[in-house]
Amino acid sequence: MSQAQQPAPAAGSQPPAEPVLIVAPSPHMGNIAQTTRRMMLDVLLALVPVIVASMAVFGLYAIQQIALCMLACMAFEAMFSMLRGKGLTIIDGSAAVTGAILALSLPWSAPWYVGVVGSLIAIGIAKIIFGGLGQNLFNPAMVGRAFVMIAFAGVMGASAYVAPASRTDAPHAVTQATPMTARREAARKPAVATAPAAAATQPATDWNYVKRLFWGNVNGSLGETSAAACILGAVYLLIRRTASWEIPLGMVGTAAVIAGLMNLAQGGGPELLLHHLFGGALLFGAVYIATDPVTSPLTPRGKLIFGAGCGALVMLLRVFSGYPEGVMFAVLLMNSVVPLINRWTIPTPIGGPAPVKA
Amino acid sequence: MTATGRMDFRGGVHPPERKSLSADAAIEVLPTPPEVRIPLVQHIGAPCESLVKPKTPVAMGEMIGKAGGFVSAPVHASIDGTCGMADVTTLPNARHVAVIPITAGPQTLSGQGLWDAIFGGEWPTRHLEDHAPQQIVEAIQAAGIVGQGGAAFPTHVKLVRNETKPIDTLLVNGCECEPYLTADHRMMIQLPGPIISGALLAAQAADAKQIIIAIEDNKPVAIDNLRRAVRGTKIQVVVLPTHYPMGGEKMTIRAALGRVVPTGGLPLDVGVVVINVGTAAAIARAVLRGKPLTHRVVTVTGSGVARPRNLLAPIGVSYKTLIEHCGGLTDQAARVLSGGPMMGLAIGNLDTPVTKGTSGITVLTSQEARKAEELQCIRCGRCVDVCPVGLVPTKIALACRFKDWDLARRYHLDACIECGCCAYICPSGIPLVQLMRMGKAEIPRKKK
Ligand code: SF4
Ligand code: SF4
């Protein structure tokens, strides 16, 4: 560019060859503590307590199912991404997360092919068809689960959770109905709203039972038995800021409010409320499923709305539907309105909207 | 409305600081280089018109480029010497501009002599009211002063009294929130005199009743020093939390005064004018001594330079000369930035000259520099959480990528201040700011 410039005097040493300077856009620093891969690893780490709890309740079966689903999801991800010529996308870790969550949302008795088919649908239909990580509208693990629930209705219904008396290998906990099924059955017998005293005295919701719900010594899908494990995982995710607090708070808060109102209506004690919070997949869903960044809204306000919607739908399904547990449908339903929520919650910039220039 | 300090704004990030590389290095006078190449445009506004021919001898401080309009600032020779053939260079902002090379003559001031000539002597804080506002503005204009914080807007334009939008507060910005950079920090420690005189003069010109110097709380020595130095004047020192982009005008105003500059508006709209500490010192020199802006303090830092320093350098000296004075690039040097790592521009050619807006040169190693690998957006919303303006960066950036201008507008692309927080935090390494910039440049202006 310039005329040959004399080397600066006395700078005797120095660069024999010009170093290769990379021209790149600002900012030139990044937050290395938070990469997509690290976030996925965080979710897996946060799942550890849940996995441990599930092993404690369901033994070897839990490990098999979780490992199988994770491997299947990663294998399908590798296969599909190769077919699409996208390179190896499994390194981003999202497939492993999908697999783990799918496995943890299955009942303990689901045969191995249920896990594999669920994985195939989760990755192949729910994710890759939409364009891979970040493009899917619905939570892949929940789509996978919904599919197997319908396809294998026989082995996936409420009865799948309860071991028949003939199964001698069944862990102790699984010989009972799941907390939500038990609750429903119990609630059906007396006429709920008109018999407040009866509701309060149902055996399923005494304090001991709530304690067991909290620690996890109850039946349910693999990952949903222990409230304590979910809370532990939630704390980790919130500290790492991998999950936003708005979604879990919105979801659990709304469910708590509705359960509390029901409580008041039925005149029960706080056990019923806690039963709803600790039992079933509410916490597991609030911490690990609804918080999936890809399928939840972008703004804090949107996330609160999304969480509240999930919580309300869960309660609605629990109380009125034929399904004992509503987290999966609640999340999938709310997923479908995320684009709308995003549009409603476009924030106004600080300083007001940009003036329209002529 | 008084300043309360210790306020904050929402969003923002906390990049690792690394100011310690050069924070204790006292400003050193760069030995006069054999040649400087002075760009005829160093600011936002109209280019200058050259006043010299090849072989014209010039003295330091002589005007060599005449301002091309009101929103323009003249340029001056920064060393004694002889002009060469006008040439063209590319500034870090990718603007091609004419440069006038000056070869150093024998009589050039250097070392302590130069320091004394620029910053030595007493800097009064009293009786500055004798200077009429008009006079001050003219002196600033004649001295070619532009904002030294980076944006390089001609300073006299900001200080001219405006009947419809009166100014009540002069905010002297000493936040220096860019990680690594320490030029302002060193000036606040070593040169409180000219900064304070300059602030008083600028306030006098703009008719501002309140004067605030805002400093981030990671510079305790500078804070102490200025607190002591402002005693007996009406200047207040306000300490703000360390938080990027605290130095951005709008954020500083929000944090120090609790006022919100409207989107698309200027500080003027809320009665504030903001100048950088280096600019304040230059104002003092221009008004009290009639000297133009010929030198500025530049931080040369980063793990890619052998000995990071703060240098008093003549405008027009090449980046290469400065880096060589600091021991040259190390083997790991991978990226040379004009400015700091958050908003600085990467340059590929070390012959680039220092301009009035060059606050620092940061050389990053490949470990420090952000990786270029880009993954899919996972819609995690982190960029939303950190955007200090309250935007949804991912939506805007993707709208820009797909040239969906309607969508970009609906999400308020225009309000982006290009601070880079969103791209800094993005776990998928998406070049969000770059997309915003591109979008802003390409967005078709509303026709009518
Ligand atoms: S931070 Fe990056 S990955 Fe997350 S939403 Fe914003 S652009 Fe997408
Ligand atoms: S969108 Fe603009 S203002 Fe917001 S963080 Fe990104 S660069 Fe900064």
Side-chain angles (χ1 to χ4, degrees):
Chain A
M1 295 227 107
S2 74
Q3 315 89 324
Q5 197 175 328
Q6 291 310 303
S13 61
Q14 281 325 308
E18 283 282 302
V20 184
L21 298 180
I22 304 159
V23 180
S26 67
H28 305 279
M29 292 171 105
N31 187 4
I32 29 175
Q34 278 288 3
T35 58
T36 302
R37 218 167 292 155
R38 181 64 220 255
M39 288 175 77
M40 296 300 167
L41 182 66
D42 272 341
V43 178
L44 289 178
L45 285 174
L47 279 169
V48 167
V50 178
I51 293 174
V52 170
S54 136
M55 277 160 53
V57 179
F58 302 105
L60 201 59
Y61 174 83
I63 315 177
Q64 282 169 8
Q65 187 70 294
I66 295 166
L68 181 71
C69 287
M70 286 177 72
L71 284 176
C73 278
M74 291 198 285
F76 287 128
E77 172 93 21
M79 194 179 93
F80 285 117
S81 59
M82 235 117 79
L83 286 180
R84 291 162 65 236
K86 283 262 182 173
L88 267 188
T89 49
I90 50 167
I91 48 163
D92 64 31
S94 58
V97 169
T98 301
I101 290 181
L102 173 65
L104 287 167
S105 69
L106 295 176
W108 77 282
S109 62
W112 66 271
Y113 55 84
V114 166
V116 174
V117 172
S119 301
L120 175 68
I121 299 298
I123 300 294
I125 303 289
K127 189 170 168 192
I128 300 292
I129 283 188
F130 284 90
L133 178 63
Q135 306 292 313
N136 46 304
L137 185 56
F138 295 100
N139 186 315
M142 289 303 102
V143 172
R145 183 174 190 265
F147 182 83
V148 292
M149 289 268 299
I150 295 161
F152 306 107
V155 289
M156 292 291 292
S159 62
Y161 291 88
V162 189
S166 58
R167 283 283 297 261
T168 46
D169 60 333
H172 164 70
V174 298
T175 52
Q176 317 140 1
T178 73
M180 287 307 140
T181 312
R183 168 101 233 126
R184 164 177 311 283
E185 295 308 314
R188 251 190 213 129
K189 276 164 219 158
V192 184
T194 52
T201 52
Q202 277 150 33
T205 9
D206 64 21
W207 278 108
N208 270 333
Y209 191 64
V210 167
K211 236 180 258 168
R212 284 179 52 211
L213 281 175
F214 183 75
W215 292 115
N217 188 18
V218 289
N219 202 355
S221 296
L222 294 185
E224 68 186 41
T225 61
S226 169
C230 290
I231 293 172
L232 209 65
V235 168
Y236 176 77
L237 286 180
L238 291 182
I239 289 177
R240 285 283 307 161
R241 291 164 154 264
T242 298
S244 56
W245 56 267
E246 287 93 350
I247 292 173
L249 184 88
M251 186 158 166
V252 176
T254 309
V257 168
I258 296 177
L261 289 177
M262 280 168 43
N263 244 9
L264 287 181
Q266 302 179 356
E271 307 94 86
L272 177 68
L273 172 66
L274 291 175
H275 182 126
H276 269 297
L277 294 190
F278 294 161
L282 179 71
L283 278 180
F284 183 71
V287 175
Y288 302 102
I289 300 175
T291 51
D292 170 29
V294 176
T295 55
S296 59
L298 283 163
T299 61
R301 210 151 54 90
K303 286 175 178 169
L304 263 178
I305 297 174
F306 177 81
C310 288
L313 283 174
V314 166
M315 292 308 292
L316 202 72
L317 290 167
R318 277 184 181 179
V319 176
F320 295 110
S321 82
Y323 288 94
E325 179 51 72
V327 169
M328 177 186 82
F329 287 126
V331 170
L332 288 174
L333 271 171
M334 287 309 291
N335 282 166
S336 68
V337 293
V338 163
L340 278 181
I341 298 181
N342 276 336
R343 207 168 310 154
W344 290 332
T345 55
I346 297 179
T348 309
I350 289 166
V356 182
K357 277 179 213 136
Chain B
M1 282 213 221
T2 53
T4 44
R6 286 237 57 111
M7 291 199 284
D8 214 337
F9 56 88
R10 126 181 214 297
V13 293
H14 292 95
E17 278 188 28
R18 319 243 32 219
K19 296 214 186 224
S20 55
L21 286 173
S22 58
D24 296 327
I27 303 167
E28 205 178 294
V29 181
L30 182 81
T32 305
E35 186 200 47
V36 294
R37 288 152 45 81
I38 299 184
L40 283 175
V41 192
Q42 305 187 23
H43 53 264
I44 298 170
C48 292
E49 190 185 309
S50 171
L51 296 175
V52 291
K53 293 201 175 60
K55 303 219 177 75
T56 316
V58 287
M60 180 177 119
E62 208 175 305
M63 192 186 287
I64 57 170
K66 199 173 80 181
F70 182 66
V71 185
S72 180
V75 295
H76 303 80
S78 57
I79 58 174
D80 296 337
T82 316
C83 297
M85 274 276 269
D87 191 4
V88 173
T89 195
T90 309
L91 293 183
N93 60 10
R95 203 162 164 185
H96 297 284
V97 299
V99 289
I100 298 186
I102 302 173
T103 315
Q107 69 279 49
T108 291
L109 262 180
S110 64
Q112 190 62 38
L114 183 63
W115 179 268
D116 290 342
I118 294 183
F119 293 122
E122 286 297 306
W123 295 95
T125 56
R126 277 160 210 291
H127 308 300
L128 295 176
E129 311 81 60
D130 304 346
H131 298 266
Q134 191 52 34
Q135 237 183 331
I136 299 175
V137 170
E138 276 163 16
I140 291 170
Q141 182 168 19
I145 297 174
V146 304
Q148 297 198 7
F153 190 78
T155 303
H156 64 268
V157 182
K158 290 201 209 176
L159 293 174
V160 167
R161 289 198 184 180
N162 181 326
E163 296 308 326
T164 52
K165 291 178 180 172
I167 286 162
D168 61 64
T169 303
L170 176 81
L171 191 54
V172 182
N173 193 341
C175 289
E176 202 169 34
C177 59
E178 267 282 0
Y180 287 82
L181 299 190
T182 56
D184 291 352
H185 178 212
R186 287 311 307 180
M187 287 195 83
M188 290 189 282
I189 292 176
Q190 293 178 255
L191 300 163
I195 293 174
I196 290 169
S197 294
L200 291 165
L201 288 164
Q204 167 82 4
D207 197 25
K209 302 283 173 290
Q210 179 175 240
I211 309 176
I212 292 168
I213 304 184
I215 314 178
E216 278 189 315
D217 61 7
N218 60 349
K219 306 177 185 68
V221 187
I223 293 166
D224 276 359
N225 205 37
L226 278 179
R227 282 233 161 102
R228 227 171 299 126
V230 298
R231 261 179 223 153
T233 70
K234 59 175 178 173
I235 303 177
Q236 288 168 276
V237 174
V238 167
V239 180
L240 301 176
T242 303
H243 183 176
Y244 181 84
M246 185 58 91
E249 276 188 345
K250 294 187 178 185
M251 302 305 134
T252 323
I253 292 171
R254 191 171 160 74
L257 296 160
R259 299 186 200 172
V260 179
V261 180
T263 300
L266 293 169
L268 186 67
D269 295 325
V270 290
V272 185
V273 59
V274 183
I275 60 172
N276 162 274
V277 289
T279 312
I283 291 173
R285 209 167 104 77
V287 178
L288 299 173
R289 304 192 178 164
K291 298 287 187 188
L293 179 64
T294 54
H295 288 70
R296 65 157 298 147
V297 181
V298 181
T299 304
V300 182
T301 186
S303 308
V305 221
R307 291 186 297 276
R309 285 167 187 197
N310 296 295
L311 301 171
L312 180 67
I315 309 288
V317 63
S318 73
Y319 281 32
K320 187 192 265 153
T321 310
L322 293 186
I323 290 170
E324 270 163 17
H325 183 73
C326 295
L329 299 176
T330 63
D331 295 341
Q332 284 87 42
R335 225 184 263 187
V336 177
L337 311 177
S338 174
M342 291 301 289
M343 294 188 82
L345 299 157
I347 58 165
N349 180 355
L350 295 184
D351 290 328
T352 303
V354 165
T355 65
K356 295 171 182 177
T358 309
S359 47
I361 300 173
T362 313
V363 185
L364 299 180
T365 60
S366 41
Q367 294 93 30
E368 288 171 295
R370 193 165 73 104
K371 68 222 169 299
E373 182 194 23
E374 185 184 338
L375 298 171
Q376 287 280 357
C377 168
I378 54 166
R379 303 195 230 158
C380 61
R382 288 172 162 269
C383 50
V384 181
D385 295 340
V386 299
C387 177
V389 185
L391 303 176
V392 185
T394 172
K395 281 280 183 190
I396 308 177
L398 296 184
C400 290
R401 181 170 273 173
F402 298 115
K403 307 207 185 303
D404 185 345
W405 305 126
D406 261 355
L407 191 65
R409 249 194 227 106
R410 213 173 325 134
Y411 275 93
H412 309 288
L413 167 65
D414 285 331
C416 170
I417 59 168
E418 301 179 21
C419 64
C421 291
C422 49
Y424 171 83
I425 208 78
C426 175
S428 293
I430 298 170
L432 294 162
V433 216
Q434 194 196 9
L435 289 166
M436 315 266 172
R437 274 197 205 118
M438 188 202 81
K440 279 186 180 177
E442 281 187 34
I443 196 163
R445 292 288 143 218
K446 266 232 159 84
K447 287 164 228 130
K448 210 175 345 150

